[in-house]
Amino acid sequence: MKPINEVKLTFLSRSANEGFARTAAACFAAQLDPTLDEVNDVKTAVSEAVTNCIVHAYPDKLGTVAMRLRLFEDNTLEIQVRDTGIGISDVEKARKPLYTTGGDDRSGMGFTIMESFMDTLKVKSTEGKGTTVTMRRRISRRLGA
């Protein structure tokens, strides 16, 4: 299915840019007239995906994070967050709740949270080349809209 609208953003893996990514995703999703709960779910999932890039992909240096947002005719929002960092050696293990490589201050719930707030979550990663997280969420059509 071909998207009806799309935007691509690239930004440095600075903590300050996590808020920018959340807001950009929420503004883009606004075209679908989401409920406040739907917007908050999208923002939370984006926050987790971008934070994973900042904390795990580039633990000792700055890198870039690319975010692609797409809208489809069936009211689906697709969000792809990609880094070119260190990658994940075992994606299946990394997706398990409470697993983290980020130290004691990390909860290990990032992928679990993304999965719970979105309809689908796909994670592709290659060690030394980076990780791509693709999330989809269908936004409810409101009565009378």
Side-chain angles (χ1 to χ4, degrees):
M1 191 172 14
K2 188 176 177 182
I4 58 172
N5 200 2
E6 177 175 355
V7 67
K8 295 177 184 177
L9 305 166
T10 304
F11 48 91
L12 290 177
S13 62
R14 294 189 182 280
S15 294
N17 288 333
E18 177 269 330
F20 165 75
R22 285 170 55 96
T23 302
C27 289
F28 188 75
Q31 298 169 65
L32 298 176
D33 194 26
T35 65
L36 191 54
D37 285 341
E38 289 170 328
V39 169
N40 287 333
D41 290 353
V42 166
K43 288 169 68 176
T44 299
V46 167
S47 177
E48 292 296 332
V50 171
T51 298
N52 274 357
C53 296
I54 293 166
V55 172
H56 301 290
Y58 307 109
D60 301 319
K61 65 177 184 171
L62 275 179
T64 57
V65 179
M67 188 166 75
R68 182 179 74 178
L69 306 160
R70 301 192 313 166
L71 300 178
F72 296 91
E73 285 184 14
D74 67 350
N75 253 35
T76 297
L77 169 67
E78 181 183 84
I79 303 166
Q80 186 178 78
V81 178
R82 182 176 40 85
D83 66 67
T84 55
I86 63 172
I88 301 169
S89 61
D90 186 338
V91 171
E92 191 175 321
K93 187 175 185 180
R95 288 185 68 163
K96 291 189 187 301
L98 306 179
Y99 176 81
T100 185
T101 59
D104 292 339
D105 62 332
R106 310 309 309 177
S107 71
M109 294 297 290
F111 288 129
T112 303
I113 291 169
M114 286 179 245
E115 199 164 34
S116 69
F117 285 111
M118 302 299 280
D119 295 331
T120 63
L121 172 69
K122 293 180 183 174
V123 182
K124 292 183 181 179
S125 190
T126 303
E127 280 190 278
K129 295 191 177 181
T131 302
T132 301
V133 171
T134 305
M135 304 175 283
R136 294 188 93 162
R137 171 79 183 252
R138 188 156 187 200
I139 303 301
S140 303
R141 293 191 190 272
R142 295 207 216 179
L143 295 176

